[in-house]
Amino acid sequence: MKVKLGANPLIYPIPIVLGGANVKGRPNFELLGDCGLMGINPPLVYISSHKEHYTNIGVLENKTFSINIPDTKMMPIADYCGTVSGHSTDKSMLFEIFYGEIGSAPMIEECPVNLECQVVHEFSIKHRQIFVGEVIQAYASEEYVEEKEGKKGLVDLTRLDPIIYSLDNHYYSIGKSIGIGYAEATRVHNNILHF
Amino acid sequence: MKVKLGANPLIYPIPIVLGGANVKGRPNFELLGDCGLMGINPPLVYISSHKEHYTNIGVLENKTFSINIPDTKMMPIADYCGTVSGHSTDKSMLFEIFYGEIGSAPMIEECPVNLECQVVHEFSIKHRQIFVGEVIQAYASEEYVEEKEGKKGLVDLTRLDPIIYSLDNHYYSIGKSIGIGYAEATRVHNNILHF
């Protein structure tokens, strides 16, 4: 039996990131859950932000942005970035900042993972501006990088320890590794063969 | 010290959902991590899918789709939907299906939460087709609905028990509730006042 909950975008879990852009030459960061994956090849991600947000000015100016993924230890400072606007507060001093290959997308050293993005598409729906970025380069703090089959990659989510959000306005931590993509289906395939 | 990991869209955590559409009058479901929130008001979500995927035919045909959020108990069947294509396998019999207000977006009864979406914007980047949907109605199984301050809403993520994905190709469970949005910042505000 289903209950109607209205016209609500109740998708979960929601990733929590800090979107970064240089606005008038100074780094600014906004707390975002309106972000995610749009494809692996090409490597596409997006951020969606109210058109009045200060970060948008910088994304439109430079056609670049960064996605910085904090861990749960950074929850107070990440949350703080969501409570004050760059219109009235300088957030450039909150973090150690570095730049990558494009040079105009400020990234946060303290975040385990950073994505340097070039805007490849943008559009608006009512007051939302959505910026689709191609990832030019991904960066990770070296303690979160491991070699797997001769290739450098990220450690697992239990070590990356991301902040997870839900529209009940709560933050959550990650749980346990419970399965492997495209391998869990074997139980279904086997059943189908038996029937 | 940062390490470069190449042009990879290493965002996390990634939600795992089943995107639904009627293709030639028959329900089809695809496993998706390329989905997420684009705004609360208006209530916007999206799915991004390779243009060859069978579901896309139905989304283009009806201008509607559904997002169905499975729990970890559904991991094998959800994963199975990612291993077989609607081009060659009829997935309409895997689930109990219901329709909502639009009538053309098939939804999965067994999933705790379902979003019925009307396409309000679509675009392509290389072989990816991205469909932005306005949520017309959200549905939840009644055991996952509770009344808070006189309003019906979802229980917390620890009870919804979503499947979480990462580009290391592992599935994860949700952890614990660790904080409240826009309340964790008080520790930073207090520090700033002291300095």
Side-chain angles (χ1 to χ4, degrees), chain A residues 15-35:
Chain A
I16 280 288
V17 308
L18 292 161
N22 271 358
V23 186
K24 300 165 194 168
R26 196 179 277 275
N28 188 64
F29 299 98
E30 67 172 334
L31 184 70
L32 284 172
D34 315 74
C35 64

Side-chain angles (χ1 to χ4, degrees), chain B residues 88-160:
Chain B
S88 52
T89 303
D90 181 358
K91 291 184 252 186
S92 69
M93 309 303 283
L94 294 174
F95 306 105
E96 190 182 331
I97 288 159
F98 72 101
Y99 289 89
E101 300 183 2
I102 311 175
S104 58
M107 291 180 278
I108 298 174
E109 183 70 31
E110 292 89 335
C111 286
V113 174
N114 319 85
L115 306 178
E116 186 184 18
C117 305
Q118 182 92 50
V119 175
V120 291
H121 186 73
E122 61 182 87
F123 60 98
S124 294
I125 296 178
K126 293 187 180 163
H127 58 257
R128 304 297 301 191
Q129 274 175 330
I130 296 105
F131 302 105
V132 180
E134 181 165 340
V135 177
I136 301 304
Q137 189 61 256
Y139 302 84
S141 304
E142 58 185 349
E143 61 266 39
Y144 299 106
V145 175
E146 63 183 9
E147 202 139 326
K148 284 179 210 166
E149 297 157 15
K151 231 182 127 184
K152 280 180 184 164
L154 286 176
V155 298
D156 75 21
L157 287 199
T158 60
R159 286 180 57 198
L160 287 166

